[in-house]
Amino acid sequence: EVQVVESGGGLVQPGGSLRLSCAASGFTFSSYAMAWVRQAPGKGLEWVSVIGGSIGSTYYADSMRGRFTISRDNSKNTVYLLMNSLRADDTAVYYCVKDGPYSGYGDFDYWGQGTLVTVSS
Amino acid sequence: QSALTQEASVSGTVGQKVTLSCTGNSNNIGTYAVGWYQQISHGAPKTVMFGNSLPSGIPDRFSGSRSGTTASLTISGLQPEDEADYYCSTWDYGLSLVVFGGGTKLTVL
């Protein structure tokens, strides 16, 4: 059974940093891209970043590029999201998602339960 | 404004067939597989279709298709538990981004 489990959310002050982790199981982790998607309160889903499987190419949404860094450790079946220079509008539930088997990214097939990040003083 | 366009709201009665659409362009939907996600009461999203594949555990009244630059999610035999927000997403190679639709609120009357 495929599982993705996020951790690391919490309350952080504006300008601060936070690292999210996502532990995956039930599939050959290194063969699949992994991504982060967030949802601000009352808003729709917003893609954050994606990292390829074996080669590990990375891509970011425009508003996160330069502040967020996605990485993965295939030996630990874990993907990370390091978030720096956090702003109030980064407050959201952050979901870890597994990419599907088809070409390109964005056809996600499994979602975690999410971890809440609150940026506030 | 989302890169993919979805209806803001769709409604149907129990047992009816409804189709949700997701419109993009040749750089995204016209080329890459589309994912469809169901979100009930702002809980965690659940995938109901990826590419043209139905995830295990999703009833076969859900089906997906694509025509040109528009992807569609069809629910045949609408059930009360299908009431939810539905989102689509895919890759855009021109932008090198994953793009999402703004979501469709499906109401079961």
Side-chain angles (χ1 to χ4, degrees):
Chain A
E1 179 192 4
V2 172
Q3 286 193 317
V4 289
V5 180
E6 307 93 337
S7 61
L11 175 65
V12 61
Q13 292 189 336
S17 299
L18 205 60
R19 189 179 83 157
L20 307 182
S21 299
C22 170
S25 60
F27 63 99
T28 305
F29 182 73
S30 60
S31 296
Y32 293 93
M34 298 292 294
W36 292 91
V37 174
R38 72 182 186 182
Q39 186 171 38
K43 302 295 186 181
L45 300 176
E46 180 184 25
W47 172 71
V48 174
S49 181
V50 65
I51 184 166
S54 54
I55 297 177
S57 302
T58 59
Y59 301 91
Y60 299 91
D62 290 345
S63 62
M64 290 75 157
R65 191 174 298 115
R67 298 189 302 126
F68 291 10
T69 302
I70 191 171
S71 61
R72 64 190 297 158
D73 185 337
N74 288 340
S75 69
K76 295 182 178 179
N77 288 5
T78 300
V79 62
Y80 305 97
L81 185 68
L82 175 62
M83 304 183 293
N84 294 323
S85 303
L86 283 163
R87 313 184 299 226
D89 63 0
D90 293 317
T91 294
V93 176
Y94 285 74
Y95 295 101
C96 177
V97 292
K98 172 186 173 294
D99 203 55
Y102 302 107
S103 64
Y105 304 116
D107 60 320
F108 306 125
D109 55 1
Y110 289 94
W111 295 69
Q113 288 301 303
T115 187
L116 176 63
V117 172
T118 303
V119 184
S120 175
S121 55
Chain B
Q1 187 173 355
S2 303
L4 303 181
T5 300
Q6 298 183 251
E7 302 94 344
S9 62
V10 170
S11 62
T13 57
V14 173
Q16 189 178 6
K17 181 170 78 172
V18 295
T19 297
L20 312 182
S21 68
C22 175
T23 300
N25 60 42
S26 58
N27 288 346
N28 44 62
I29 290 180
T31 302
Y32 294 102
V34 175
W36 286 93
Y37 319 108
Q38 177 193 67
Q39 187 177 39
I40 298 174
S41 301
H42 274 276
K46 179 171 66 175
T47 298
V48 293
M49 190 68 58
F50 61 101
N52 288 323
S53 300
L54 194 67
S56 61
I58 301 300
D60 61 6
R61 63 176 181 274
F62 287 85
S63 62
S65 64
R66 181 178 66 185
S67 177
T69 58
T70 296
S72 298
L73 177 71
T74 298
I75 309 173
S76 303
L78 197 61
Q79 297 298 307
E81 60 265 31
D82 298 333
E83 184 164 290
D85 294 323
Y86 290 84
Y87 296 88
C88 59
S89 72
T90 189
W91 180 247
D92 188 305
Y93 72 79
L95 300 173
S96 293
L97 302 171
V98 171
V99 289
F100 267 90
T104 296
K105 182 176 182 60
L106 175 62
T107 301
V108 181
L109 303 171

